[in-house]
Amino acid sequence: MKSSRYLLTDFMNILRCNDEDDLGLLGRNALNRLLKKEERSLYNRLRSIVFDAAYVRRVCRHIGTEIPVLANLRCGLWYAPDCQTTCYFKSTDGHCNNWQFNLKRLNLNVLNILAEKRSCIIVDATRKGKTFPDSFSRTIPIWTTVMNRILAHKKSIRNEALWGELRMPPWIPESEKRQVQALLPAFVDAVLNAQPIQDEILHLSSLIDLPLKCQWLSPDTSGFPDVDPGFLHIWLISASSAAKADMDSTYVQGGGDDHESWSLGLTPTMFWRHKDEILEYSDDVEAKIRDAVLADSTAAEPHRSSEITWLGSLGVGYAESVPAFTPSIGLIVDCSSRPLPQSDARILSASVAEGKADKNKLSKILPKVLNACRPILPHKQIVIVSTDSATCICVCLAILVEFFDETGVFSGEKHRSTKESIKSSLLFLQSSAGVAAAPPRWMLTDLNRYFLTQAENQPRILQKWRRDEHNASNQ
């Protein structure tokens, strides 16, 4: 966010303009910046999120309270605070002329939900003046078609018209549809050739008896589309209104997008917990946000869940806060950015800072973490703790790469890792272990760098950790 010092500079530049030409050239631009800043103020942004979230709740109730709601990471979390779970369909995978089907974002958890509930709702938003984000217009329709074809292949169904048709929304031009259509066979082959997920795909094909179909809804659309009983429906709710943004200068379309650039450390969970205090007055919202972030970071974790999410039968799991020890748990690795003091020797502190400032932060803690895990597995379980799910998944992935083969069988022996073996391990986590989303690219890059160069670097890094611990104990 632009600081108040720069806003004051803009205003003073306007005052210094002595003639109409200068005011026209400098003053008008500076004034426009001030107005845009006001329109995009934190208060307006958060009020817009509340407004849009109310629309999402109304639509979800209309579709059916029994239908599971998924927030599409990361923007969707701001608009669906009561969602049952999340998914990760990235808009860039659907950008025109750059269509992709990324195996790191398989979203097999969505298929599991459809197999059980027969329908689901996915919530997202866009700030780019469009009604629907590209994740809804392109990425999910492409994913749906690929999954339909794979399911049909596993079920030996030959009905191409029903199970193989590419169903994109009507505003996508036919020329683009034809280009995407040509890419689909390669996307299907890539999934069918990914061996770690074939058992899970085969299992899902036995549970899903109808093809998948998308339905699009937004504040700018009228009515509800007809529901065809011959499909399993994925309701795509775009929370924000492009039309309202054109009429209301204080409304911020897709206010939850790109939250790192404006949130001051506020997360969707924090916001909805402290919403009333934060939005009580418009002139001190930044101070209220800092108070909320501080309160959550210094509290004894009363709002964080200690429920453990276990990754299949690996004996590895993760939680938001330190859980109580059970006889089967041998080690808890606390990767919180601000770990609480612990007296139990079975709790290893391996703090991972928030944000992207240090893109090597994972490789710095992995020698220490993996060295501590070595005597624990497979006899007892290990729990990774952090409020950042991406950190948890990456550390769990590192444990899988270090101690298990690509099918999740414990080996206990170090083996040479490659990019393909790490990718296979991630696919295993996404399928057999039920992990919904891939960690960010920069985290995976750091993890790849660590394993691909560990023969050279690991002893040096581990030695540094031991030296730092020794120095800390002597202070």
Side-chain angles (χ1 to χ4, degrees):
M1 290 182 60
K2 201 174 182 182
S3 71
S4 56
R5 177 168 62 88
Y6 292 110
L7 292 176
L8 180 60
T9 300
D10 284 344
F11 184 67
M12 293 303 296
N13 284 335
I14 296 174
L15 296 181
R16 291 192 189 102
C17 295
N18 295 322
D19 60 59
E20 189 173 348
D21 290 339
D22 285 342
L23 181 60
L25 291 173
L26 174 62
R28 188 175 295 115
N29 290 336
L31 183 59
N32 284 338
R33 286 196 296 271
L34 284 169
L35 291 174
K36 189 170 184 63
K37 174 67 177 180
E38 173 60 26
E39 292 170 4
R40 296 275 172 172
S41 71
L42 265 177
Y43 182 78
N44 288 339
R45 183 184 294 274
L46 294 173
R47 290 283 295 182
S48 300
I49 289 173
V50 173
F51 180 86
D52 292 340
Y55 163 77
V56 171
R57 285 194 299 272
R58 290 195 302 271
V59 174
C60 290
R61 284 197 299 266
H62 184 93
I63 295 173
T65 55
E66 75 284 358
I67 305 299
V69 178
L70 292 78
N72 194 34
L73 295 174
R74 294 165 296 169
C75 182
L77 279 172
W78 291 92
Y79 301 95
D82 300 321
C83 64
Q84 281 75 22
T85 186
T86 61
C87 55
Y88 190 29
F89 293 99
K90 202 170 181 180
S91 285
T92 53
D93 289 341
H95 283 177
C96 191
N97 296 318
N98 191 37
W99 307 282
Q100 301 179 59
F101 190 92
N102 198 312
L103 294 179
K104 291 184 292 186
R105 293 182 281 276
L106 278 174
N107 291 287
L108 295 182
N109 64 315
V110 179
L111 289 183
N112 276 290
I113 290 171
L114 290 168
E116 179 182 356
K117 299 295 185 179
R118 316 290 290 174
S119 183
C120 72
I121 298 167
I122 301 178
V123 179
D124 202 353
T126 183
R127 60 174 178 157
K128 297 182 179 179
K130 298 179 291 188
T131 302
F132 291 92
D134 283 341
S135 59
F136 281 7
S137 295
R138 296 172 172 87
T139 306
I140 296 181
I142 291 172
W143 175 87
T144 300
T145 308
V146 170
M147 288 303 171
N148 279 342
R149 293 187 178 192
I150 289 169
L151 293 170
H153 173 81
K154 295 292 185 181
K155 298 166 75 71
S156 300
I157 295 175
R158 303 299 180 189
N159 191 337
E160 177 71 20
L162 183 63
W163 289 81
E165 181 183 352
L166 174 63
R167 299 178 179 90
M168 299 184 84
W171 56 87
I172 301 298
E174 287 298 323
S175 59
E176 182 175 343
K177 291 179 183 178
R178 286 193 295 271
Q179 293 179 74
V180 173
Q181 190 88 29
L183 299 173
L184 292 175
F187 294 162
V188 172
D189 288 343
V191 178
L192 292 176
N193 291 329
Q195 291 305 314
I197 63 172
Q198 296 312 304
D199 289 345
E200 180 69 6
I201 293 287
L202 184 62
H203 172 67
L204 287 167
S205 69
S206 69
L207 301 177
I208 296 177
D209 58 344
L210 297 173
L212 320 179
K213 184 178 182 181
C214 298
Q215 303 280 16
W216 293 269
L217 290 169
S218 85
D220 299 335
T221 57
S222 58
F224 277 75
D226 295 331
V227 177
D228 188 334
F231 293 90
L232 304 182
H233 291 275
I234 304 173
W235 296 88
L236 305 178
I237 301 179
S238 184
S240 288
S241 169
K244 182 174 175 61
D246 291 338
M247 296 184 294
D248 184 351
S249 64
T250 64
Y251 175 79
V252 182
Q253 183 186 359
D257 197 14
D258 192 24
H259 69 264
E260 292 95 340
S261 66
W262 58 264
S263 66
L264 305 176
L266 188 72
T267 66
T269 302
M270 289 181 197
F271 170 62
W272 288 103
R273 186 181 303 134
H274 302 285
K275 173 178 68 71
D276 293 338
E277 306 98 90
I278 290 173
L279 296 179
E280 184 177 5
Y281 302 107
S282 61
D283 56 352
D284 62 350
V285 65
E286 290 190 16
K288 292 293 182 65
I289 287 176
R290 291 190 174 92
D291 289 345
V293 173
L294 181 63
D296 272 47
S297 64
T298 58
E301 307 196 26
H303 303 296
R304 300 175 186 173
S305 172
S306 60
E307 181 180 354
I308 302 170
T309 300
W310 294 107
L311 301 179
S313 58
L314 298 176
V316 181
Y318 61 92
E320 290 185 351
S321 66
V322 175
F325 271 98
T326 65
S328 62
I329 296 177
L331 177 68
I332 293 175
V333 181
D334 189 357
C335 295
S336 305
S337 58
R338 300 179 182 87
L340 296 174
Q342 303 290 346
S343 58
D344 196 321
R346 296 171 297 176
I347 300 178
L348 175 69
S349 179
S351 177
V352 177
E354 296 176 350
K356 303 178 184 178
D358 183 1
K359 293 192 176 183
N360 300 317
K361 58 189 180 183
L362 279 173
S363 56
K364 291 177 181 178
I365 68 160
L366 285 181
K368 178 182 182 180
V369 171
L370 298 177
N371 193 51
C373 293
R374 195 172 305 281
I376 304 299
L377 291 170
H379 314 293
K380 290 198 173 185
Q381 297 169 324
I382 295 173
V383 180
I384 310 302
V385 173
S386 177
T387 54
D388 179 19
S389 61
T391 296
C392 288
I393 296 305
C394 249
V395 176
C396 290
L397 176 58
I399 294 172
L400 178 63
V401 171
E402 182 80 358
F403 300 111
F404 296 80
D405 67 17
E406 296 166 24
T407 61
V409 176
F410 181 79
S411 63
E413 298 180 358
K414 291 179 63 64
H415 51 278
R416 184 171 181 81
S417 300
T418 65
K419 282 188 176 181
E420 286 304 313
S421 67
I422 295 171
K423 182 178 178 181
S424 295
S425 295
L426 178 58
L427 287 175
F428 175 82
L429 283 185
Q430 290 180 312
S431 57
S432 300
V435 173
R441 179 184 298 176
W442 64 269
M443 277 191 170
L444 288 175
T445 299
D446 191 22
L447 188 142
N448 278 328
R449 186 187 304 116
Y450 168 78
F451 279 107
L452 298 179
T453 61
Q454 67 174 346
E456 175 185 351
N457 292 334
Q458 186 173 356
R460 176 179 57 81
I461 299 174
L462 186 55
Q463 184 180 20
K464 182 180 183 303
W465 266 110
R466 288 170 175 163
R467 185 172 64 249
D468 291 346
E469 287 184 328
H470 176 73
N471 293 339
S473 63
N474 291 332
Q475 290 178 352

